[in-house]
């Protein structure tokens, strides 16, 4: 059996290995007002979410009967979503989110998934109580259910775009550095010349 991987008699092998390393350190953005982000779709969605959260909270608070029988949950979800969305809005607007350590894009994406579920539950609670009879009327409860589902749709749209960013690999830690290493190996067989 012949071994073809070894050099033939009178030949020797020379192996050359080249390793190149390149380190890129992404610059952390400076903290300040980001006017370009303010004109983007994510900022419009966050503004719409905050306005709808506020309207949902007001509608859930308008009826005393509803506040005692399930509206408290709707109020809690609406006000906590409003506060958290406002914080994320300010973090993006002032470019703070890029300076924070950690995968904040992923954290914000998970936040939106959780609040999608919570707002869905709140809207279902409001819709389930629209048929109840109470002395104050059902107008505020019906409005809470309606705005609950509209708020849910806007949050789902924002979550979808965050999912697309995640698929595209746009979720990075603030100011992270990446290391790229390239290794090239070549083998050359040469013949010795005998004189």
């Amino acid at each position: 059996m012949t071994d073809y991987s070894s050099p033939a008699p009178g030949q020797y092998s020379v192996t050359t290995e080249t390793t190149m390393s390149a380190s890129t350190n992404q610059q952390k953005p400076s903290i300040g007002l980001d006017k370009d982000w303010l004109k983007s779709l994510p900022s419009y969605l966050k503004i719409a979410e905050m306005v709808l959260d506020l309207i949902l909270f007001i509608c859930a608070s308008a009826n005393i009967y509803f506040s005692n029988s399930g509206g408290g949950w709707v109020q809690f979800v609406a006000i906590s979503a409003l506060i958290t969305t406002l914080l994320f809005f300010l973090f993006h607007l002032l470019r703070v989110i890029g300076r924070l350590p950690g995968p904040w894009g992923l954290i914000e994406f998970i936040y939106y998934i959780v609040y999608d579920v919570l707002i869905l539950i709140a809207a279902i609670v409001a819709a389930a109580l629209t048929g109840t009879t109470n002395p104050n009327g059902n107008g505020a409860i019906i409005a809470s259910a309606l705005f609950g589902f509209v708020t849910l749709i806007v949050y789902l749209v924002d979550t979808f775009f965050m999912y697309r960013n995640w698929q595209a690999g746009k979720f990075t830690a603030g100011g992270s550095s990446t290391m790229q290493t390239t290794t090239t190996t070549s083998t050359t067989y040469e013949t010795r010349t005998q004189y």
Side-chain angles (χ1 to χ4, degrees):
M1 180 166 206
T2 307
D3 182 18
Y4 292 107
S5 63
S6 62
Q11 294 181 343
Y12 65 94
S13 68
V14 175
T15 303
T16 306
E17 187 170 319
T18 307
T19 304
M20 297 184 326
S21 296
S23 175
T24 58
N25 190 9
Q26 299 172 352
Q27 292 291 332
K28 293 182 180 182
S30 62
I31 294 176
L33 187 65
D34 191 356
K35 292 178 183 177
D36 292 334
W37 184 84
L38 193 58
K39 298 174 187 174
S40 67
L41 179 65
S43 72
Y44 296 150
L45 287 172
K46 288 193 183 352
I47 291 169
E49 291 162 1
M50 290 185 292
V51 169
L52 289 170
D53 286 334
L54 185 61
I55 292 171
L56 179 60
F57 178 75
I58 292 169
C59 289
S61 302
N63 191 330
I64 299 297
Y65 169 78
F66 183 54
S67 295
N68 294 331
S69 65
W73 170 252
V74 179
Q75 291 171 347
F76 167 74
V77 170
I79 203 68
S80 63
L82 172 67
I83 291 169
T84 312
T85 305
L86 177 64
L87 287 174
F88 278 122
F89 178 79
L90 291 174
F91 283 176
H92 285 287
L93 181 64
L94 299 175
R95 289 189 224 134
V96 173
I97 204 156
R99 309 240 343 138
L100 296 172
W104 279 94
L106 182 62
I107 292 169
E108 187 176 7
F109 176 60
I110 292 169
Y111 154 78
Y112 271 86
I113 290 172
V114 168
Y115 268 96
D116 289 341
V117 173
L118 294 178
I119 292 171
L120 174 65
I121 294 169
I124 290 172
V125 165
L129 293 174
T130 57
T132 60
T133 58
N134 66 64
N136 298 331
N138 289 336
I141 301 172
I142 293 170
S144 295
L146 176 69
F147 280 107
F149 285 113
V150 171
T151 304
L152 175 66
I153 290 169
V154 174
Y155 270 88
L156 286 173
V157 168
D158 205 2
T159 305
F160 172 74
F161 285 118
M162 287 187 181
Y163 175 76
R164 299 234 353 221
N165 286 340
W166 175 69
Q167 288 290 7
K170 294 182 181 177
F171 286 169
T172 58
S176 64
S177 63
T178 58
M179 176 69 86
Q180 181 180 4
T181 303
T182 306
T183 303
T184 306
T185 305
S186 64
T187 304
T188 308
Y189 293 104
E190 296 180 7
T191 306
R192 286 188 194 181
T193 311
Q194 294 185 344
Y195 294 101

